[in-house]
Amino acid sequence: MKYTQLGRTGLKVSRIVLGTMNFGPQTDEADSHAIMDAALDAGVNFFDTANVYGWGENKGRTESIIGNWFAKGGDRRDRTVLATKVYGNMAGDGPAWPNHDRLSALNIRRAVEASLKRLQTDYIDLYQFHHIDRATPFDEIWQAIDVLIQQGKILYAGSSNFPGYKIAQANEAAARRGMVGLVSEQCLYNLAERRVEMEVLPAAREYGVGVIPWSPLHGGLLGGVIRKQTEGGRRASGRSAEALENTAVRAQVQAYEDLLAKHGLEPGEVALAWLLTRPGVTGPIVGPRTAEQLTSALRAVELDLGDEVLTALEEIFPGTGPSPEAFAW
């Protein structure tokens, strides 16, 4: 497994991030534990979760599955760089009580304690703000984070789904307090969705913030979905199915699959490998439902796409261009 440093920290993390969103809703606890063991044995040390994962009445279930895995011992916790998130309403499917969601100092304090209990650990390596909170000033957020760092309950803070200007605001506010600030940004980024290249990625590079792309296969669209349908395998569903109803998108995905078939490459592995070539990317988040899906993702780390394939991918999925030139008419 290849490793890199998380943003401007000294923390070394694997180039593949194990996403745990499916643990609980789609993958039972025993299989989830087996996947985490396999990932750790393969050298994957960076695990990502969130307090709301489990969803609905089962919010927090995913953190509990991870906590039970840590409780098995075997240095599992010591070998893992653990990331979780705060923001979402934890009150089941109903409305949140005041101060039981978002990023007020009170909710951050409550959410950390609840996550630590579910995760059965006394510290979180990377505590991420799941979304921006327009109602809470960054000075309040950083004051709460500073206390948690002093208490040893978290080590670093990161963001998720932040626009570029919020990354700048957050880190400028942290700098005024003499704090490190955000060390990572978790964002939607893949071959088919490259808008973050305009402002989010430049802001992240400017502030030394690592980038952790989520949905690297764009909801399965980049995982060989047309070929699988043709071969009678799993059919596209949800957003992927809706996207393929668009003639232009379907033609684009078909061209992508044809290119990779020509070179004997697997679409899902290529989508991950392409992200690993992007400047500033720490590692994409993979959310395997099975051990086989994890094995496929691991192969992407060693995959060398070559100039011919990279050039062809750029032609099929053109980027936005550099900022600010991309904004010019």
Side-chain angles (χ1 to χ4, degrees):
M1 174 57 62
K2 296 178 181 178
Y3 297 89
T4 187
Q5 288 187 209
L6 180 61
R8 60 188 180 280
T9 75
L11 198 63
K12 290 182 173 58
V13 295
S14 50
R15 299 290 327 259
I16 288 291
V17 184
L18 182 69
T20 62
M21 185 184 293
N22 292 318
F23 294 175
Q26 297 190 47
T27 306
D28 65 24
E29 182 158 342
D31 286 343
S32 298
H33 286 188
I35 290 171
M36 287 188 281
D37 279 333
L40 205 58
D41 288 344
V44 176
N45 73 336
F46 196 4
F47 290 14
D48 175 74
T49 191
N51 60 354
V52 294
Y53 290 173
W55 311 111
E57 295 298 326
N58 293 311
K59 289 175 182 177
R61 174 61 178 149
T62 303
E63 285 189 333
S64 295
I65 288 173
I66 296 170
N68 292 338
W69 181 71
F70 285 149
K72 290 183 174 182
D75 294 328
R76 285 175 171 85
R77 179 65 187 96
D78 289 342
R79 295 164 62 193
T80 301
V81 175
L82 175 64
T84 192
K85 308 182 192 75
V86 58
Y87 180 90
N89 166 17
M90 292 297 290
D93 284 330
W97 281 85
N99 303 310
H100 279 74
D101 65 353
R102 302 183 186 270
L103 301 179
S104 70
L106 179 56
N107 186 55
I108 288 174
R109 175 179 174 178
R110 286 172 170 163
V112 164
E113 296 297 341
S115 285
L116 289 172
K117 183 176 181 180
R118 286 188 293 266
L119 290 163
Q120 299 188 52
T121 185
D122 56 3
Y123 73 100
I124 294 163
D125 297 282
L126 177 63
Y127 200 52
Q128 302 162 107
F129 312 131
H130 212 155
H131 297 284
I132 62 172
D133 182 355
R134 295 180 176 88
T136 305
F138 278 115
D139 280 341
E140 176 180 345
I141 294 170
W142 286 126
Q143 183 179 42
I145 294 299
D146 193 24
V147 170
L148 293 173
I149 291 174
Q150 294 300 321
Q151 292 174 338
K153 294 178 179 178
I154 69 171
L155 301 183
Y156 304 99
S159 59
S160 179
N161 305 307
F162 271 34
Y165 81 97
K166 282 294 181 181
I167 293 174
Q169 285 183 349
N171 279 318
E172 291 298 330
R176 290 194 295 270
R177 300 179 62 87
M179 297 178 64
V180 172
L182 301 175
V183 302
S184 65
E185 159 61 17
Q186 191 174 132
C187 55
L188 175 61
Y189 185 29
N190 54 58
L191 271 165
E193 176 49 79
R194 299 177 60 174
R195 286 177 291 180
V196 295
E197 293 177 350
M198 296 183 76
E199 295 231 8
V200 175
L201 267 59
R205 288 196 295 269
E206 184 71 21
Y207 285 97
V209 171
V211 175
I212 311 169
W214 61 267
S215 195
L217 305 189
H218 207 50
L221 197 67
L222 302 173
V225 63
I226 296 178
R227 184 193 69 189
K228 291 175 183 177
Q229 288 180 345
T230 303
E231 295 174 350
R234 185 183 181 195
R235 297 184 64 82
S237 60
R239 293 181 181 178
S240 292
E242 294 175 6
L244 288 176
E245 292 176 2
N246 183 307
T247 303
V249 171
R250 189 177 187 89
Q252 197 175 34
V253 174
Q254 186 67 68
Y256 171 68
E257 293 190 16
D258 289 345
L259 167 70
L260 304 187
K262 172 185 172 183
H263 290 274
L265 298 169
E266 284 296 319
E269 295 171 16
V270 169
L272 294 173
W274 178 81
L275 280 169
L276 292 171
T277 70
R278 309 310 295 168
V281 167
T282 300
I285 300 173
V286 300
R289 296 185 302 274
T290 65
E292 291 74 18
Q293 290 176 345
L294 172 64
T295 300
S296 176
L298 293 174
R299 286 196 291 266
V301 179
E302 305 299 331
L303 187 59
D304 183 3
L305 296 180
D307 292 341
E308 181 182 350
V309 172
L310 287 172
T311 299
L313 289 174
E314 197 71 27
E315 292 172 354
I316 296 170
F317 297 106
T320 60
S323 177
E325 289 83 358
F327 293 102
W329 286 13

